[in-house]
Amino acid sequence: RRATTRVAMSGFMRWTETLTACGGYLGPARAVPSGVEVDEGGDDVSDDNKMRMVGHERASTSLAGRTYVVTGVMTNPSAQACARRLYIAGARVVCACGDVQDAEKVLQTIRDAAANGLNADGDAIAPEGTAKESSQCGELIPLACDLSKLSTIDVFVKNFQSKAWALDGILCAENATHVEFATTEEGIERHFAINHLGHFKLTSLLLKELIRSAAANGREGRVVNLTSNLHHFTYRVRQGTIKPSRGIDFGNLNSAYGYSPLGSYGQSKLANILHAWEMQERMSDTKAPVRCVAATVGMTRDELELSLSFPGGSILASMASPVVTTAIEDGVATPLYCLTAPELPQGVFFVDCKAAKSSLPSRDPRLAAELWDVSEEMCAGDDATVTLTSP
């Protein structure tokens, strides 16, 4: 039986210190996508392959002509912040969303706010006089895609391909967090279906577009899976063994047996890293010009509350939040860096705009290969129209 994660009161401070060390922080300054020129007090800042820790709203539109697919804009504040920053930098941002009409309302709010130097909540994010002209921004385009319904992904890919756009990168950020046990229409547990399997299918079907675009424009294509430090808290599947004893519980993926929201969420976030690891291996084997990584924005408030979901945990969450959580505008620097930097250092898991060491299970090549095979089988069973194989 799965062992659910419990946090003892006596070990709370040590645990929060561990999360702080894992998550890392950025200062109050903001980061812009690498390659974007900035002017901060007249001083040009250039540090090869590093994010500029400056006011991102002062950036020029050096991402003009690039196209990125972003999931989760309607449900994940981090995804919305990434989409806004890419849009301000001049990129075309194709937002995969379940309801196009609702998404268009949200995207229009982002457009209006960006033109006035505000974020989507109406808070000032740019110094006075630095609001972006609409002509300097890119495009925000909603396309229907419900990652909880695998069949809609085929429709999304066909619609995207019909536009004849290039594709520079995919940010997989749709996120189901702390949901009680439930399955999708295809009978797949929701955390696993939305956080991993939908993204697995989406990236597989768009892979040829990424490779063709990278070959044509000479820029490395990117796939970035938004993961979490809570991947450490996946289910313990091998009791009484030497580490790593945690992993993917393939025998109970869609079962309520032993289910816990934290364990299931952690399992899906572990799958994000394993997916990136295995895809990168396959890209390297075929010498395809595509880089695949997983990145975290740090500890979010929702994740903190999830990890402290026991009696009295909400009080601890309120106390710990100022210490261990990361502001969204700071946290999104890492996925933006992974998505847009001209080159990335070696590594699959990125924290604070640099490669970091993830958990032992997330670095298990056999587990990554098994997850890939199981994911292919699950996707192939939903009348997929495109073969899910790497080139």
Side-chain angles (χ1 to χ4, degrees):
R1 184 181 178 84
R2 297 170 176 164
T4 58
T5 303
R6 293 184 174 87
V7 180
M9 290 291 292
S10 60
F12 176 69
M13 291 306 296
R14 177 171 55 83
W15 178 77
T16 54
E17 289 171 0
T18 300
L19 288 180
T20 302
C22 287
Y25 300 97
L26 297 177
R30 305 291 181 242
V32 300
S34 185
V36 175
E37 294 302 321
V38 299
D39 180 9
E40 181 72 9
D43 295 326
D44 290 331
V45 180
S46 60
D47 187 3
D48 291 344
N49 228 23
K50 290 185 179 180
M51 298 297 288
R52 277 72 159 173
M53 307 310 296
V54 295
H56 64 278
E57 305 304 341
R58 301 190 182 198
S60 67
T61 56
S62 67
L63 295 185
R66 301 193 191 187
T67 299
Y68 297 94
V69 169
V70 178
T71 69
V73 172
M74 292 292 291
T75 59
N76 187 344
S78 296
Q80 188 174 123
C82 286
R84 178 180 56 79
R85 298 266 282 271
L86 293 169
Y87 164 71
I88 289 173
R92 176 189 292 120
V93 185
V94 180
C95 303
C97 48
D99 190 314
V100 172
Q101 290 185 339
D102 286 348
E104 180 55 41
K105 295 176 183 177
V106 172
L107 297 183
Q108 187 57 48
T109 300
I110 296 174
R111 296 185 193 104
D112 295 340
N116 294 309
L118 306 173
N119 65 16
D121 295 325
D123 300 323
I125 53 175
E128 185 178 354
T130 58
K132 300 289 283 189
E133 295 290 340
S134 59
S135 60
Q136 294 178 305
C137 294
E139 298 177 79
L140 289 170
I141 302 172
L143 278 185
C145 181
D146 185 347
L147 291 181
S148 69
K149 301 176 182 178
L150 293 176
S151 59
T152 69
I153 300 174
D154 296 280
V155 177
F156 172 87
V157 172
K158 287 182 178 179
N159 287 339
F160 181 89
Q161 292 172 334
S162 69
K163 307 293 185 181
W165 292 324
L167 180 58
D168 292 88
I170 306 171
L171 176 61
C172 302
E174 184 74 58
N175 198 33
T177 307
H178 197 182
V179 298
E180 295 303 320
F181 179 79
T183 58
T184 65
E185 292 179 359
E186 289 96 348
I188 304 167
E189 191 275 319
R190 285 189 64 80
H191 281 115
F192 190 81
I194 295 172
N195 298 354
H196 165 66
L197 197 62
H199 290 128
F200 174 86
K201 180 173 182 179
L202 178 67
T203 53
S204 295
L205 295 179
L206 287 175
L207 193 55
K208 290 182 179 179
E209 304 299 320
L210 273 173
I211 294 173
R212 278 197 290 262
S213 297
N217 60 38
R219 292 189 299 266
E220 189 176 63
R222 297 285 165 78
V223 174
V224 179
N225 289 342
L226 204 61
T227 185
S228 165
N229 289 313
L230 291 186
H231 76 273
H232 290 273
F233 297 93
T234 184
Y235 292 116
R236 191 178 298 277
V237 295
R238 294 186 289 277
Q239 298 287 350
T241 65
I242 300 175
K243 293 182 179 180
S245 61
R246 297 182 185 272
I248 305 293
D249 191 355
F250 292 107
N252 294 293
L253 276 180
N254 304 317
S255 172
Y257 179 74
Y259 177 87
S260 78
L262 177 58
S264 183
Y265 180 75
Q267 178 173 257
S268 69
K269 296 291 101 178
L270 171 61
N272 291 154
I273 304 176
L274 291 169
H275 173 217
W277 196 97
E278 181 65 16
M279 178 175 274
Q280 182 55 47
E281 287 294 299
R282 292 172 182 244
M283 294 300 96
S284 298
D285 289 344
T286 58
K287 301 188 184 304
V290 174
R291 183 74 183 275
C292 312
V293 301
T296 176
V297 298
M299 178 64 70
T300 66
R301 174 75 188 196
D302 286 344
E303 291 181 341
L304 179 62
E305 292 177 348
L306 168 60
S307 59
L308 297 177
S309 55
F310 52 81
S314 59
I315 298 175
L316 293 176
S318 297
M319 295 169 56
S321 182
V323 179
V324 302
T325 57
T326 305
I328 291 175
E329 290 296 330
D330 290 339
V332 297
T334 300
L336 286 171
Y337 166 67
C338 294
L339 198 62
T340 65
E343 296 180 1
L344 289 176
Q346 292 297 314
V348 171
F349 179 61
F350 282 76
V351 178
D352 241 1
C353 298
K354 59 182 181 291
K357 183 176 289 186
S358 54
S359 67
L360 281 173
S362 70
R363 292 178 276 126
D364 184 342
R366 292 170 298 181
L367 184 60
E370 183 177 5
L371 175 65
W372 185 281
D373 292 341
V374 169
S375 300
E376 271 196 326
E377 291 175 5
M378 295 176 76
C379 288
D382 81 296
D383 299 326
T385 58
V386 183
T387 304
L388 297 178
T389 55
S390 55

